[in-house]
Amino acid sequence: MALREEIAAAGARLVAVSKTYPQERIEEVYALGQRDFGENRVQELAEKAEQLPQDINWHFIGHLQSNKVKYIAPFVHLIHAVDSWKLLREIDKRARTNERTIDVLLQFKIAEEDTKHGYSAEELFTVLEREDWQALANVRIVGVMGMATYTDDHVQVRREFQQLRQYFERLQRTHFAHEASFREISMGMSGDYPLALAEGSTMVRIGSKIFGERK
Ligand SMILES: *Cc1c(COP(=O)(O)O)cnc(C)c1O
């Protein structure tokens, strides 16, 4: 799989985004050695996780509602898009029930469109000041995630990825200086992953380039 090698050469990891694709397609990609897969719907993820090999690392990459955390808490590998204190607290609670620690990323809004979820830098730093997030013993914040604007304007996309990396570096200095596990920048999709890799992505989330166009 040349794509995976390209990504590994840049020092990043590939999350194969399998949302909407049937299990057989996932099994094909699994047979090539891919172990990290991403989904954005709770029910679809829960069903696939039950049917597919146990050594898959399942990433939840979409907007997650607090009341659905319990369905994926027993097995999810990484939750990419935490964008509220309420959600972070709920993940901690459900992780504790399952006697495990769940890794998460904080989602930043870097795109121009206001439909995208995520924190502004202001909001996030306010939450970290105000709330006792360090008391959440069963959730581990391992980095940040963001989605660039959907546009052909490479200058803009690059600037947005740079912005995300700067948020990451700032957090690393201010709140996670002693946390070696705080090291992930999840950015880059089929259309923009080369730019994301160039700007320091550690994890790209790629669907259609691997599986073909979704219907
Ligand atoms: C669907 C999705 C992707 C993958 O998109 P492609 O363009 O198919 O590579 C990446 N990240 C998120 C959050 C997604 O929802």
Side-chain angles (χ1 to χ4, degrees), residues 6 10 154 158 161 188-200 204 206 209:
E6 177 190 352
H154 283 198
R158 216 176 229 282
F161 286 149
M189 305 169 37
S190 294
D192 57 19
Y193 78 90
L195 293 173
L197 291 175
E199 294 304 333
V204 291
I206 297 184
K209 192 173 164 65

Side-chain angles (χ1 to χ4, degrees), residues 15 17 19 21 39-40 61-63 80-81 107 145-147 150 188-191 204-210 212-214:
V15 177
V17 177
K19 65 188 187 197
Y21 295 99
E39 293 280 336
N40 71 343
I61 62 168
H63 180 64
H80 283 236
Q107 182 178 11
M145 177 269 199
M147 288 169 86
Y150 188 73
M189 305 169 37
S190 294
V204 291
R205 311 174 308 269
I206 297 184
S208 49
K209 192 173 164 65
I210 297 171
E213 290 301 321
R214 283 179 296 273

Side-chain angles (χ1 to χ4, degrees), residues 30-194:
Y30 176 91
L32 299 173
Q34 178 67 23
R35 291 295 177 272
D36 290 88
F37 289 90
E39 293 280 336
N40 71 343
R41 296 199 189 283
V42 166
Q43 193 183 344
E44 185 176 347
L45 170 54
E47 284 169 9
K48 286 174 171 171
E50 200 178 302
Q51 302 293 329
L52 287 158
Q54 294 299 305
D55 64 343
I56 289 179
N57 297 323
W58 289 106
H59 296 244
F60 194 82
I61 62 168
H63 180 64
L64 180 57
Q65 289 170 274
S66 299
N67 62 358
K68 295 194 172 166
V69 173
K70 56 180 179 283
Y71 300 114
I72 60 172
F75 64 87
V76 70
H77 175 70
L78 177 62
I79 296 175
H80 283 236
V82 171
D83 61 358
S84 76
W85 170 247
K86 183 181 170 202
L87 176 59
L88 191 64
R89 232 180 20 197
E90 178 66 14
I91 294 169
D92 177 65
K93 178 179 151 189
R94 296 296 172 180
R96 193 167 333 109
T97 313
N98 285 280
E99 296 178 342
R100 60 184 300 240
T101 300
I102 296 180
D103 286 352
V104 304
L105 303 176
L106 301 171
Q107 182 178 11
F108 277 98
K109 179 171 147 49
I110 51 171
E112 259 177 13
E113 308 107 88
D114 47 32
T115 52
K116 300 262 164 74
H117 296 280
Y119 282 112
S120 71
E122 266 40 69
E123 286 163 348
L124 181 66
F125 282 92
T126 304
V127 166
L128 293 180
E129 291 312 312
R130 197 181 53 210
E131 308 290 357
D132 190 12
W133 56 277
Q134 275 133 327
L136 303 180
N138 293 73
V139 70
R140 190 169 69 153
I141 300 170
V142 299
V144 302
M145 177 269 199
M147 288 169 86
T149 303
Y150 188 73
T151 170
D152 290 335
D153 183 347
H154 283 198
V155 174
Q156 180 178 352
V157 172
R158 216 176 229 282
R159 194 171 56 228
E160 291 173 357
F161 286 149
Q162 277 166 10
Q163 177 73 261
L164 184 61
R165 195 184 63 209
Q166 282 161 12
Y167 291 149
F168 169 81
E169 287 168 353
R170 180 174 159 195
L171 277 171
Q172 203 173 34
R173 274 197 313 274
T174 56
H175 290 83
F176 297 94
H178 305 293
E179 311 283 343
S181 52
F182 187 82
R183 60 169 179 232
E184 304 291 353
I185 307 177
S186 168
M187 61 183 185
M189 305 169 37
S190 294
D192 57 19
Y193 78 90

